[in-house]
Amino acid sequence: MKKMFLLGMSLLLFCFSGCATLFNGTRQSINVKSFTPDSRIYINGNYEGSDAVSRKLKRNQSHSIVVKKVGYKTEAINIDNHIQAGWIVFDVLFCWPGALLDVLTGAWNSLDRTNIVVDLQKEEILK
């Protein structure tokens, strides 16, 4: 009896969990690499490190990456998010009660760039 109860509760929790949340997650790994030594990497305005950074960013929002170093031109990159239609179809067919969770957490989304490589250019000095 206890096993049946636990099995039923597990099935119920699975049904009310969004498929994209379970299998895709709410965050996505992003790698930023700069070939310019000692460059500083900022994600969404926060300093994250120099030369190379790996972070997991929320799927439900866009992000900004800035790489800069004194004496070099600053490079700014936008990472946009977009909905993956496959997760919507999957939720409708198999996990429809949990679709709301996927919408709220942004698990249906994907970030359009995951690997960013930057080589900063020297600034020209005007005389």
Side-chain angles (χ1 to χ4, degrees):
M1 181 70 171
K2 187 176 181 179
K3 286 183 181 179
M4 289 298 287
F5 175 76
L6 289 175
L7 181 62
M9 289 302 292
S10 297
L11 186 59
L12 185 66
L13 284 174
F14 178 77
C15 286
F16 284 101
S17 295
C19 289
T21 302
L22 287 173
F23 299 112
N24 204 28
T26 60
R27 294 179 177 263
Q28 186 172 343
S29 293
I30 301 296
N31 302 304
V32 182
K33 166 93 173 115
S34 174
F35 287 127
T36 309
D38 301 318
S39 58
R40 299 174 62 84
I41 299 171
Y42 296 83
I43 299 176
N44 298 325
N46 299 313
Y47 174 72
E48 296 292 337
S50 62
D51 300 335
V53 171
S54 292
R55 296 289 181 270
K56 287 192 171 221
L57 302 179
K58 290 182 179 181
R59 293 177 180 271
N60 64 347
Q61 60 190 20
S62 296
H63 302 277
S64 65
I65 309 292
V66 175
V67 182
K68 59 183 166 179
K69 180 179 178 179
V70 174
Y72 289 79
K73 293 180 182 178
T74 298
E75 186 150 346
I77 300 109
N78 289 321
I79 300 175
D80 295 318
N81 66 328
H82 59 276
I83 292 177
Q84 296 176 301
W87 285 116
I88 297 170
V89 172
F90 199 79
D91 272 349
V92 168
L93 294 176
F94 302 107
C95 302
W96 63 266
L100 180 61
L101 180 64
D102 286 345
V103 171
L104 295 175
T105 62
W108 278 353
N109 294 311
S110 179
L111 300 175
D112 65 353
R113 298 183 71 181
T114 56
N115 291 303
I116 298 167
V117 179
V118 175
D119 191 8
L120 299 178
Q121 302 300 310
K122 283 195 174 237
E123 285 185 335
E124 294 180 23
I125 301 173
L126 300 174
K127 292 184 181 185

